[in-house]
Amino acid sequence: AQKITQTQPGMFVQEKEAVTLDCTYDTSDPSYGLFWYKQPSSGEMIFLIYQGSYDQQNATEGRYSLNFQKARKSANLVISASQLGDSAMYFCAAASAGGGATNKLIFGTGTLLAVQP
Amino acid sequence: GAGVSQSPSNKVTEKGKDVELRCDPISGHTALYWYRQSLGQGLEFLIYFQGNSAPDKSGLPSDRFSAERTGGSVSTLTIQRTQQEDSAVYLCASSFSTQGDGYTFGSGTRLTVV
């Protein structure tokens, strides 16, 4: 079973600056995936980025990058050049990935990001 | 359909009544999940269906909560004798893979118990 910890309930960032959202995880699974989702005030869950536990390189998707430190069990999300539209709740999540079977996503409590002009 | 469909989008019910929430997953997705999100909180896992396997019910908060998935497709989450603390958004997701964007979420059902 996984446990996800997001220690920042809220963050502020100035527009155009970079921001790091913290996430640590605890799992005994040998193979797992780490995910970040964005949830704006509309409530939809928007997939941002994925990191597999055996991936050698940190994942990047446009302005999003995942700072994966396996030994520290951390998977921080970095958003570069923040935009006003980035203001939302951000969730870190994890799922087992063994044997090709699907498995439940377990979520952290989230970080509310506010981008200031 | 193109996405995960949930109905109703909003439900107001009186305390003590039973409610049924419906989820229609993406065709071909073998796994289906239910989550509960209370106001300003994270997503709490409730139950998980995978193909014909027995469901993982480890997240159901009480025996008032149950879910079924008929024919490996549509799922219904039932809450009996609703309480005010059941008020939340109930999100359904389906998936074909544990990687990347393999999970797709519905837009949720907002349940209000008065």
Side-chain angles (χ1 to χ4, degrees), chain A residues 33 35 37 39 42-45 47 49-50 89 91 95-98 100-110, chain B residues 30-31 33 35 37 40-43 45 48-50 56 58 91 95-103 105-107:
Chain A
F35 303 74
Y37 286 85
Q39 188 179 45
S42 59
E44 61 188 305
M45 293 292 287
F47 166 77
I49 195 166
Y50 165 85
M89 184 73 96
F91 291 102
S96 295
T102 53
N103 213 329
K104 60 194 181 196
L105 274 173
I106 299 300
F107 286 85
T109 51
Chain B
T30 58
Y33 316 79
Y35 293 88
Q37 186 175 27
Q41 302 299 310
L43 278 72
F45 166 75
Y48 155 50
F49 297 90
Q50 170 60 58
D56 177 352
S58 60
L91 286 163
S95 70
F96 64 92
S97 166
T98 55
Q99 299 181 6
D101 62 352
Y103 297 84
F105 285 81
S107 53

Side-chain angles (χ1 to χ4, degrees), chain A residues 34 41 61 67 96 99 108 111-112:
Chain A
L34 299 159
S41 56
E61 289 285 349
N67 184 0
S96 295
T111 295
L112 183 61

Side-chain angles (χ1 to χ4, degrees), chain B residues 1-5 23-32 69 72-73 93-96 102-105:
Chain B
V4 176
S5 177
C23 173
D24 198 347
I26 292 176
S27 177
H29 281 195
T30 58
L32 186 148
R69 187 179 186 192
S73 181
S94 68
S95 70
F96 64 92
Y103 297 84
T104 303
F105 285 81

